Amino acid sequence: METNLSEVAGGRSKRPKADRRRAPETGARILDAAEMLFSWRGFYGVSLREIAAEAGVQLALTHYHFGSKESLFSAVIERRAADHAARIEAALVDAKTVEGSRRDRREAILRALIATIVDRALRGGPGWKNYVRLLAFVANHPQEEDYVSPFRTHYDHVIQDFVEALARLHPEMARLDVQWGFFFFQAATTHILVESGMLDRQSGGALHSSDLDAMADRMVPFFAAGFLGLGAAD
Amino acid sequence: METNLSEVAGGRSKRPKADRRRAPETGARILDAAEMLFSWRGFYGVSLREIAAEAGVQLALTHYHFGSKESLFSAVIERRAADHAARIEAALVDAKTVEGSRRDRREAILRALIATIVDRALRGGPGWKNYVRLLAFVANHPQEEDYVSPFRTHYDHVIQDFVEALARLHPEMARLDVQWGFFFFQAATTHILVESGMLDRQSGGALHSSDLDAMADRMVPFFAAGFLGLGAAD
DNA sequence: ATTTTGTTTGAACGATCGACCAAAAACTAT
DNA sequence: ATAGTTTTTGGTCGATCGTTCAAACAAAAT
């Protein structure tokens, strides 16, 4: 009842002919439950028993399909990370073709990131919403933690590409300032996606957490203008 | 060897005369250890045994002085929250007296927040550094979690005062946009303080996480300029 | 010196954690 | 149908969790 994906989870014996067993949705259901619970309470705050109960399966199946808790956590990220990163990259490639003023092109680049993330959170299904929240949750953890490494694998080079695109658009800026500017943008994005409730509190209930589209429409011009404060021409 | 506070921790029998027992540094040492460990791995990621071992005391003393793990977590925040919030408020009051262009006054307001936080993290002693990290860690958690409430108690009205100051400076802006702008600023601040390591990764090691002063000097003009993107005059 | 009170010790409680396994069940291939 | 493989079941393992307690200890008050 969670996801519409039908992919096999375990991936143990990939014979070249055809997939032998039916490989039911069990793995996907465990992933969905883990994705949801991890996104709210983090790696330590959730037990495998909770995940199994949420998925409606036996506890031992989590070990059978994924081996360990850490492997399960990695599998949750691995399930969508490549597709997600590719979508962002594609949006960036598209944004680079935008013509117009420097401001317009800068906004297009920033929008490529936030709009793609918001799009998945709002229109990718309930699993994606949890995934995006988990993504932000993990990003808000110190790098010393070990379970965050699968996340970095997929997204670090995406970040670099965005910095590269902005740096090429603004040769008059020091490269370090470009990095700072995009870092601020990314930091705000990351924080907001885990804490949409803060919006309601600040505005006295005028905003709903589902107004992520409206938020993106504010973020883009705000952060695009922010670069003017770091010496961007235009 | 961590803090200079000498307050009693338990607060069990407050006779009106004088504090009877010596109330040694045990409570403070537990708070220091908890502050450090919680700031890195969060509430669920740390056990009371780890905290006791780090503090060099018996496990049972954590229960004797603070009752429960949740109470200990609250006590960690309570120890510095009031002072911290007051420092930020004082900096804001000071910033409101700054004269000059709208841009200058806007920057002064933003600087009041980030500079005060950075000042405590860099020059408040090792305990403060951990506290600031913990603060950001907690702020990056969904509001549904219960152990975050003591944090909100102290900082929510501070946020409102900043929005109020910015709204008064920019009557031409929609109140909602002012809230958005400051929210972006606050979101970036919160994220950055837990993830200073990201700086090193993005710049290839050119920056050190201790360069928080330099970061604040970039943040202020960047976010001050960001308001121009939301319709701020000047 | 003795009582009183606050603090610390050492050990345990039941509960839950992640991990694991042998047997049963479900399924496919022959 | 039979054999072989994958998946599920139900339960247990040692470890660790937060919490608790009686007894020993230390410092003040009487």
Side-chain angles (χ1 to χ4, degrees):
Chain A
M1 63 201 65
E2 179 77 289
T3 179
N4 47 4
L5 298 178
S6 62
E7 59 205 353
V8 187
R12 189 156 315 216
S13 67
K14 280 282 182 55
R15 304 288 181 77
K17 260 301 154 94
D19 52 342
R20 322 259 291 214
R21 300 300 152 214
R22 202 162 50 85
E25 57 179 352
T26 305
R29 291 179 59 185
I30 294 174
L31 284 176
D32 289 335
E35 188 175 54
M36 189 266 282
L37 290 170
F38 280 144
S39 77
W40 284 113
R41 299 208 299 273
F43 182 76
Y44 298 113
V46 184
S47 70
L48 289 176
R49 282 172 177 80
E50 283 180 276
I51 294 172
E54 177 69 27
V57 303
Q58 281 272 116
L59 163 65
L61 289 178
T62 63
H63 171 258
Y64 174 77
H65 284 282
F66 302 100
S68 71
K69 187 180 182 183
E70 269 204 25
S71 300
L72 171 58
F73 190 90
S74 297
V76 169
I77 295 185
E78 296 289 345
R79 176 167 62 159
R80 309 194 199 271
D83 173 64
H84 194 218
R87 284 174 184 268
I88 297 174
E89 287 278 15
L92 174 60
V93 169
D94 224 51
K96 286 194 217 167
T97 70
V98 168
E99 300 184 6
S101 69
R102 290 263 274 278
R103 171 84 72 109
D104 289 339
R105 296 199 277 162
R106 198 164 63 244
E107 288 195 357
I109 291 174
L110 296 182
R111 197 188 317 275
L113 179 63
I114 184 67
T116 304
I117 295 178
V118 167
D119 169 72
R120 287 295 87 191
L122 289 184
R123 290 169 282 277
W128 273 99
K129 191 167 232 164
N130 293 329
Y131 173 78
V132 168
R133 191 188 303 111
L134 176 61
L135 208 63
F137 197 106
V138 171
N140 275 311
H141 275 66
Q143 57 185 5
E144 279 74 14
E145 296 299 312
D146 35 345
Y147 56 86
V148 300
S149 49
F151 152 74
R152 305 200 186 284
T153 306
H154 289 92
Y155 291 94
D156 269 5
H157 77 283
V158 178
I159 294 174
Q160 287 180 346
D161 288 346
F162 272 86
V163 172
E164 183 61 34
L166 288 169
R168 203 168 314 181
L169 183 61
H170 290 286
E172 80 282 7
M173 287 181 68
R175 173 109 188 173
L176 204 53
D177 286 330
V178 177
Q179 291 179 340
W180 276 119
F182 184 74
F183 180 59
F184 298 149
F185 176 63
Q186 179 211 345
T189 301
T190 300
H191 173 84
I192 286 166
L193 294 172
V194 277
E195 183 49 320
S196 335
M198 191 170 290
L199 299 172
D200 305 86
R201 223 175 317 112
Q202 283 191 26
S203 59
L207 284 173
H208 302 322
S209 63
S210 57
D211 295 20
L212 288 179
D213 285 318
M215 185 199 70
D217 288 340
R218 308 284 171 147
M219 281 191 73
V220 170
F222 182 91
F223 282 92
F227 280 81
L228 299 176
L230 294 184
D234 171 46
Chain B
M1 63 195 64
E2 181 72 288
T3 180
N4 46 6
L5 300 179
S6 62
E7 59 205 353
V8 186
R12 191 155 312 214
S13 65
K14 279 282 183 58
R15 305 287 182 75
K17 260 298 151 88
D19 51 342
R20 324 256 288 214
R21 299 299 155 216
R22 199 160 53 83
E25 58 179 351
T26 305
R29 290 179 59 185
I30 294 174
L31 284 176
D32 291 336
E35 188 174 54
M36 191 266 284
L37 290 169
F38 280 143
S39 78
W40 284 113
R41 299 208 298 272
F43 182 75
Y44 298 114
V46 184
S47 71
L48 290 176
R49 283 172 177 80
E50 283 180 275
I51 295 173
E54 176 69 27
V57 303
Q58 280 272 122
L59 163 66
L61 288 179
T62 63
H63 170 261
Y64 175 76
H65 284 281
F66 302 102
S68 71
K69 188 182 181 183
E70 269 205 25
S71 301
L72 171 58
F73 190 91
S74 297
V76 168
I77 294 185
E78 295 289 344
R79 176 165 65 160
R80 310 193 200 270
D83 172 64
H84 195 217
R87 285 174 184 267
I88 297 174
E89 286 278 14
L92 174 59
V93 170
D94 225 52
K96 286 193 218 168
T97 69
V98 168
E99 299 184 6
S101 69
R102 291 263 273 279
R103 171 83 73 106
D104 289 340
R105 296 201 276 164
R106 198 163 65 246
E107 289 195 356
I109 292 173
L110 296 182
R111 197 190 315 275
L113 178 63
I114 185 66
T116 305
I117 295 177
V118 167
D119 169 74
R120 287 296 85 190
L122 291 184
R123 289 169 282 276
W128 272 100
K129 190 166 232 165
N130 293 328
Y131 173 78
V132 169
R133 189 187 304 112
L134 175 62
L135 207 62
F137 198 106
V138 172
N140 275 311
H141 274 66
Q143 58 187 4
E144 280 74 13
E145 297 298 312
D146 35 344
Y147 56 85
V148 301
S149 52
F151 151 74
R152 305 199 186 284
T153 307
H154 288 92
Y155 291 94
D156 269 4
H157 78 281
V158 178
I159 293 173
Q160 287 180 346
D161 288 345
F162 272 86
V163 172
E164 182 62 35
L166 288 169
R168 202 168 314 180
L169 183 61
H170 291 285
E172 79 282 7
M173 288 180 68
R175 173 108 187 170
L176 203 52
D177 286 330
V178 177
Q179 292 179 339
W180 277 118
F182 185 74
F183 179 59
F184 298 149
F185 176 64
Q186 180 212 343
T189 302
T190 301
H191 173 84
I192 285 166
L193 294 171
V194 276
E195 185 48 321
S196 336
M198 191 170 291
L199 298 172
D200 304 87
R201 224 176 316 110
Q202 283 191 27
S203 60
L207 284 172
H208 302 321
S209 64
S210 57
D211 295 18
L212 288 179
D213 285 317
M215 185 199 68
D217 288 339
R218 309 283 173 146
M219 282 190 73
V220 170
F222 181 90
F223 283 91
F227 280 81
L228 300 176
L230 295 184
D234 171 43

